[in-house]
Amino acid sequence: MGVGRAGSGWDPGKPSWVSQDCSGTVVLVNTATTERTSSPSAVISAVAVSKSWGSHQVFSDVTADVLPGVTGLLGSNGAGKTTLLGMLLALHAPDSGTLSVLGSDPATAGPELRMHIGYAPEHHNLPNDVAAQDLVRHIALVHGLPKREATTRSSDALWLVGLGEERARPVGTMSTGQRQRVKLAQAIAHGPKLILLDEPTDGLDPVQRDDMLALIRRIGTEFGIHVLLSSHLLEEVERIADNVVILSNGTVRASGRIDDLRTGQGGMTAILDSGVEHVAASLQRSGYAVTIERNTVRVGTNEPLEQLADALRDAIAENAAPLRRMEPVKQTLEDLFLDEVYGS
Amino acid sequence: MSNASAEIFDRGYRAYEGPRTGIGTAMRSVGVSTVQRALGLRRKFRFKIVPLLTVAVAYLPAIGFLAVAILLPTDLAGQVVPEYAGYFGLINILMVLLAAFVVPEVMGSDRKTGMFGLYLASPLTRWHYLISKFVAIIMVMSLVTMLPVIFQMVGYSFLEIGPDGFVEILKTLGRIIASGFILSIFFGLFGMAASTFTDRQLFASAAIVILIVASEAFTSTLVDQANAPDWIRIFGLLTMPANLIARVFDETGVDAVRIDGLSDLGSLGVWLGFCGAFVGLITFGYRRLEVTK
């Protein structure tokens, strides 16, 4: 299971996280035993990775898994997102710990591994006097595609990103939105298994941003390409990502499926027709933190969901309160981020 | 009911599971792109001016010498037209143009436009990249250092004023190629080293021209005005490769740029030392470059 808190922020006193397996069964994950090992299905795994630039510690004992699909790499500016991307590309070696990307160690399989990775950097600089198709084709060739494949695939990639008609235009004459698309096209043209996108919506207006996010989502779902999307914008990650890795202060504060993370954080709620106060009193007697809002009772924050669900069910039954609905509280990604980074 | 069948040829973007070529193809692609950029191919006309002018100027003397040799009787032509080592004197100057204006363009632009980062995110390493660039630069420079002189030699041979016999032709060809490499490698590495520390083409170009002029002026002043030993001239960045070429052709005439007090091996050692220093600077500079920013 790739869900859990990770890195040096791990506190054995805190309860385990809840996750859901493929059959839909809610299971409790004993993070104390799984945290230091990588998941076999993970696209990227980091175990106890540390990295510093001179005296500045960028990462400290980071452990996390990136699961298949579209993953958002969230963190404020300077959180180490770009450094992490560099380490995944084997451009920087970690000071300690082990990294695994697509099942290989970047330190030993660097060139072979990079053949299967696409990368779109954050900056908007590209050679101004080169036609988009020439640039994309050149990068495809450099990634080992035969000439004929590089030519046809660069054209296909540019059509996919919506620049089919513009492919002969020099990149210097293109808008920021079009340049971002060219960067995306060159990242996917060689048929990678994984693409790393560094702030792909930077500099785009809202309409362009929506289009770009839809395109990234499509690439991640239709073509079987795993996407790691670095961003400091929570809303865009929440819109298109299946998974998230939250970086802060050199540690991974949370990682896993967004739905699982959102579900496991806020406790349980029950909407009752009456008897809200009685149910709340029963729960408080059992030692749970309870809040009431109109006919809704909310219990717990950090306790395991199963435990909360049992306690809530027992309290409702004990008071014979008519129940309308009972469900785990789902946080927004923003709640989760703020809670992980600033709240705890 | 029609029996017509249809087949979709354009399937659009799809996953790629086919074969991939190795690092060699990737390096060749970077090299080809560098040669195109250096010669201004597939670029605006203003980018073609310096390389095309340099190549044209390099070939003009060879064409002129051959024209003179054709017009004059064979005996007289053999005495009038210059030998090969003299031709390299002109080429030496043209190398400054290529080192100062073409090499910074092909090196600095990759960093300025972020292409360097994209290359390193591919199977290429820094060293693959630098080797590709170096080979491409040497190929472009060889257009100026070797081919005009080979053209001159072939022309002389047809006019019967060139090397006599197969062995002599091979020997002369070997000397021309060796001299071409001496100039191409020296000025190629010099240009790359100067371009390593700045993305701005103008700064690198100015640094190259200033270093060459200053080194020549300084060493000449020391030797001519301060009675310093002649070997000091080896630190002149034009004189040093010219001295080695004079030794390759075994030129001893008054026009030969041959430094007294230095052996053939010593001359080669100094050339290797300079080239090694340039390689060290390039390695140092590129090792420190941050690529994911």
Side-chain angles (χ1 to χ4, degrees), chain A residues 19-27:
Chain A
S19 184
Q20 205 159 19
D21 66 14
C22 300
S23 63
T25 311
V26 174
V27 293

Side-chain angles (χ1 to χ4, degrees), chain A residues 53 82 85-86 89 91-92 111 114-117 119 121 123 125-130 134-135 138-139 141-146 149 153 156-157 160 186 188-193 198 223 225, chain B residues 10-17 19-23 25-26 28-31 33 37 42-44 47 105 111-115 117-126 128 290-293:
Chain A
W53 295 117
T82 302
L85 296 185
L89 287 165
L91 302 178
H92 330 298
R114 288 197 294 269
M115 213 170 265
H116 300 284
I117 298 178
Y119 170 60
H123 62 74
N125 296 336
L126 289 171
N128 285 338
D129 51 353
V130 177
D134 289 345
L135 176 69
H138 178 53
I139 297 296
L141 282 170
V142 170
H143 277 84
L145 256 63
E149 286 289 347
R153 289 188 63 85
D156 291 342
L160 179 69
Q186 63 79 29
I188 62 170
H190 62 277
K193 292 184 171 65
D198 200 353
F223 303 110
I225 299 173
Chain B
D10 180 10
R11 289 177 292 163
Y13 182 85
R14 59 208 175 277
Y16 179 71
E17 299 295 340
R20 287 178 193 263
T21 54
I23 298 281
T25 309
R28 193 169 63 208
S29 185
V30 173
S33 145
R37 194 162 190 85
R42 309 183 80 159
R43 302 182 71 197
K44 287 179 182 167
F47 294 107
E105 159 66 15
R111 297 197 304 273
K112 203 160 56 183
T113 62
M115 282 302 289
L118 290 181
Y119 285 139
L120 293 203
S122 78
L124 297 170
T125 64
R126 285 164 211 258
H128 291 132
E290 177 64 58
V291 290
T292 46
K293 292 287 183 191

Side-chain angles (χ1 to χ4, degrees), chain A residues 232-304:
Chain A
H232 61 277
L233 300 173
L234 298 160
E235 184 259 339
E236 67 182 35
V237 169
E238 190 162 33
R239 270 172 57 185
I240 65 162
D242 306 306
N243 319 299
V244 69
V245 175
I246 298 177
L247 287 177
S248 175
N249 292 330
T251 61
V252 174
R253 307 306 293 253
S255 71
R257 290 184 54 77
I258 291 177
D259 282 347
D260 295 339
L261 294 176
R262 285 162 49 181
T263 302
Q265 275 286 280
M268 293 285 298
T269 61
I271 302 172
L272 306 169
D273 278 346
S274 61
V276 172
E277 290 80 9
H278 300 300
V279 171
S282 295
L283 288 165
Q284 279 169 338
R285 277 197 299 277
S286 302
Y288 291 102
V290 181
T291 54
I292 298 172
E293 190 180 324
R294 292 185 185 173
N295 60 341
T296 303
V297 59
R298 177 173 170 171
V299 59
T301 49
N302 289 325
E303 293 86 352

Side-chain angles (χ1 to χ4, degrees), chain A:
Chain A
M1 240 3 118
V3 179
R5 294 169 199 269
S8 58
W10 164 245
D11 177 2
K14 286 184 178 177
S16 305
W17 281 59
V18 176
S19 184
Q20 205 159 19
D21 66 14
C22 300
S23 63
T25 311
V26 174
V27 293
L28 283 171
V29 180
N30 183 352
T31 50
T33 56
T34 59
E35 279 212 330
R36 308 296 288 188
T37 58
S38 58
S39 162
S41 65
V43 177
I44 298 167
S45 285
V47 179
V49 168
S50 296
K51 175 74 185 170
S52 45
W53 295 117
S55 59
H56 174 58
Q57 184 88 32
V58 184
F59 294 119
S60 174
D61 199 25
V62 160
T63 296
D65 285 343
V66 171
L67 301 174
V70 180
T71 301
L73 179 61
L74 270 178
S76 49
N77 289 329
K81 302 187 295 290
T82 302
T83 300
L84 180 62
L85 296 185
M87 289 202 291
L88 299 177
L89 287 165
L91 302 178
H92 330 298
D95 298 336
S96 62
T98 54
L99 270 176
S100 167
V101 180
L102 299 171
S104 302
D105 179 358
T108 54
E112 176 61 29
L113 181 63
R114 288 197 294 269
M115 213 170 265
H116 300 284
I117 298 178
Y119 170 60
E122 183 180 358
H123 62 74
H124 302 309
N125 296 336
L126 289 171
N128 285 338
D129 51 353
V130 177
Q133 180 156 19
D134 289 345
L135 176 69
V136 176
R137 179 179 178 272
H138 178 53
I139 297 296
L141 282 170
V142 170
H143 277 84
L145 256 63
K147 273 185 186 173
R148 186 185 293 261
E149 286 289 347
T151 304
T152 54
R153 289 188 63 85
S154 61
S155 181
D156 291 342
L158 283 163
W159 277 103
L160 179 69
V161 301
L163 290 177
E165 302 283 2
E166 313 286 335
R167 63 190 187 280
R169 264 178 64 186
V171 176
T173 65
M174 292 182 162
S175 67
T176 305
Q178 288 171 320
R179 281 167 178 248
Q180 288 283 27
R181 285 165 184 264
V182 171
K183 286 197 290 181
L184 184 59
Q186 63 79 29
I188 62 170
H190 62 277
K193 292 184 171 65
L194 165 69
I195 55 173
L196 309 176
L197 308 177
D198 200 353
E199 306 278 1
T201 58
D202 188 35
L204 303 186
D205 65 35
V207 175
Q208 290 174 328
R209 198 159 68 97
D210 287 350
D211 291 347
M212 177 60 88
L213 291 174
L215 189 56
I216 294 169
R217 179 71 195 162
R218 193 176 161 213
I219 288 166
T221 51
E222 268 186 43
F223 303 110
I225 299 173
H226 307 300
V227 180
L228 181 60
L229 163 81
S230 156
S231 177
H232 61 277
L233 300 173
L234 298 160
E235 184 259 339
E236 67 182 35
V237 169
E238 190 162 33
R239 270 172 57 185
I240 65 162
D242 306 306
N243 319 299
V244 69
V245 175
I246 298 177
L247 287 177
S248 175
N249 292 330
T251 61
V252 174
R253 307 306 293 253
S255 71
R257 290 184 54 77
I258 291 177
D259 282 347
D260 295 339
L261 294 176
R262 285 162 49 181
T263 302
Q265 275 286 280
M268 293 285 298
T269 61
I271 302 172
L272 306 169
D273 278 346
S274 61
V276 172
E277 290 80 9
H278 300 300
V279 171
S282 295
L283 288 165
Q284 279 169 338
R285 277 197 299 277
S286 302
Y288 291 102
V290 181
T291 54
I292 298 172
E293 190 180 324
R294 292 185 185 173
N295 60 341
T296 303
V297 59
R298 177 173 170 171
V299 59
T301 49
N302 289 325
E303 293 86 352
L305 268 188
E306 250 187 14
Q307 183 188 329
L308 289 175
D310 287 349
L312 187 55
R313 179 202 61 206
D314 293 347
I316 292 167
E318 182 188 321
N319 293 286
L323 173 67
R324 276 187 181 272
R325 192 163 73 227
M326 190 171 109
E327 63 187 2
V329 173
K330 285 204 170 187
Q331 290 182 304
T332 65
L333 197 56
E334 186 176 359
D335 293 335
L336 180 69
F337 182 82
L338 293 175
D339 193 30
E340 286 299 331
V341 176
Y342 301 108
S344 51

Side-chain angles (χ1 to χ4, degrees), chain B residues 254-278:
Chain B
V254 284
D255 294 336
V257 187
R258 200 178 169 110
I259 298 171
D260 294 332
L262 206 63
S263 67
D264 292 351
L265 213 57
S267 300
L268 180 64
V270 173
W271 180 84
L272 286 172
F274 266 96
C275 291
F278 293 148

